[in-house]
Amino acid sequence: MRFPIIAGNWKMNTTVAEAIELTGQVRKGISNGFSVEVVVCPPFISLAAVKEALKGTSIKLGAQNLYHEEKGAYTGEVSPLMIADLCEVVIVGHSERRQYFGETGEIVNRKISAALKAGLKPILCVGEQLEDNEAGQTAEVVTEQLRSSLEGISVSSDLVVAYEPIWAIGTGRAAHGKPVNETSAIIRRTLTELSNQEIAQGIRILYGGSVTAENIAEFLEQSEIDGALVGGASLKADQFISMVEQAEYIYFPNNPPTKDLIPW
Ligand code: PEP
């Protein structure tokens, strides 16, 4: 079975003090007895403080980006080794990085390779523009992104893929469970071609794009979706905790979390 992941991408939000505060609120609601893998991805500058604030919990820490070189004269960049010192997870190829910072498939490929080499679990983001979606090109776009991002890389189940339709990110216009499930099945088929069936079956595929506590169940109930990458709603502790609780109930109905550890 694939253990589900609920990951929060805080993007460029929270000062260090706010990140510590949010971490404190989140950890109060998430029991160590939960089987869902929970990841928070604060800005680089807060990683060390949030790591400290997460001590004693099973919540994992992730970065939002990395540079592909290990060290050297790359002013302003953060290396895989530095991130691996603090984190287990790193988001790679988020559409905002592709759109605003010119990340191409080739750059994403180098970053995935560097992340895996450093022992990090990369969350590789793929997703189509609205025009591609309306033109029925979703499968082609996403398959091409996967192929270029993973070319020459020995794919293992350390990889996580987040399918994030660009038109759904930060717009309040989430996709729907069924078409996302179909795209996730296409992603898994491509992963099978790039590795083998056993590895592809073990890779978690998340959905991202305006996920909230109100709509997450629609995605988690789908057979090919193994969790969510949550942006805006992960900045609200009650929303994020509710999403993790829902995942716990949906995936592990026979192992309900200890209710007295949940404040609502
Ligand atoms: C994201 O940043 O990956 C994301 C999905 O954002 P939002 O949930 O705000 O749409």
Side-chain angles (χ1 to χ4, degrees):
M1 125 165 233
R2 297 185 292 267
F3 277 72
I5 301 177
I6 304 294
N9 173 13
W10 296 0
K11 309 197 190 196
M12 198 176 71
N13 295 293
T14 68
T15 60
V16 176
E18 288 164 350
I20 294 169
E21 169 78 21
L22 179 56
T23 306
Q25 291 167 0
V26 166
R27 64 171 287 162
K28 271 194 211 138
I30 296 177
S31 155
N32 279 343
F34 281 12
S35 304
V36 172
E37 222 173 295
V38 182
V39 183
V40 292
C41 305
F44 281 136
I45 199 159
S46 296
L47 286 173
V50 171
K51 186 179 172 73
E52 190 61 31
L54 286 174
K55 268 198 180 142
T57 76
S58 54
I59 301 171
K60 294 182 174 154
L61 188 61
Q64 299 172 18
N65 181 32
L66 80 169
Y67 191 60
H68 65 271
E69 294 288 350
E70 290 185 354
K71 61 178 173 177
Y74 303 102
T75 302
E77 293 296 331
V78 180
S79 93
L81 298 183
M82 296 168 190
I83 294 169
D85 208 20
L86 296 170
C87 302
E88 288 178 60
V89 175
V90 62
I91 299 172
V92 182
H94 191 282
S95 63
E96 288 152 13
R97 297 225 45 96
R98 295 180 194 254
Q99 188 178 350
Y100 305 132
F101 302 99
E103 285 196 9
T104 58
E106 194 189 327
I107 292 172
V108 173
N109 181 287
R110 280 195 222 149
K111 290 187 173 194
I112 292 280
S113 181
L116 289 169
K117 189 170 167 218
L120 289 158
K121 292 189 168 70
I123 301 181
L124 166 63
C125 301
V126 295
E128 82 287 2
Q129 303 274 5
L130 185 59
E131 311 85 83
D132 302 321
N133 183 278
E134 288 175 347
Q137 295 293 311
T138 300
E140 285 79 354
V141 170
V142 166
T143 301
E144 198 314 285
Q145 286 174 341
L146 281 171
R147 288 192 182 284
S148 60
S149 304
L150 298 173
E151 193 188 342
I153 291 174
S154 167
V155 174
S156 78
S157 55
D158 277 346
L159 178 74
V160 176
V161 176
Y163 168 53
E164 302 203 302
I166 294 166
W167 47 271
I169 297 179
T171 58
R173 188 183 157 198
H176 289 290
K178 210 161 166 274
V180 172
N181 200 48
E182 284 163 13
T183 304
S184 300
I186 291 164
I187 290 172
R188 200 173 305 285
R189 219 175 300 141
T190 307
L191 292 170
T192 307
E193 287 162 22
L194 293 171
S195 56
N196 61 47
Q197 186 150 13
E198 196 189 333
I199 290 173
Q201 283 300 325
I203 294 177
R204 272 82 58 89
I205 301 175
L206 316 183
Y207 167 70
S210 297
V211 175
T212 64
E214 287 70 40
N215 65 18
I216 194 168
E218 176 180 348
F219 301 103
L220 300 183
E221 280 160 358
Q222 306 292 330
S223 59
E224 290 296 332
I225 304 176
D226 308 307
L229 179 55
V230 185
S234 70
L235 293 166
K236 298 183 191 116
D238 57 346
Q239 278 270 324
F240 192 64
I241 293 165
S242 168
M243 288 186 259
V244 174
E245 283 180 2
Q246 291 181 57
E248 192 69 24
Y249 281 110
I250 289 169
Y251 289 97
F252 307 100
N254 300 324
N255 180 27
T258 323
K259 210 54 196 155
D260 60 354
L261 291 173
I262 302 171
W264 45 78

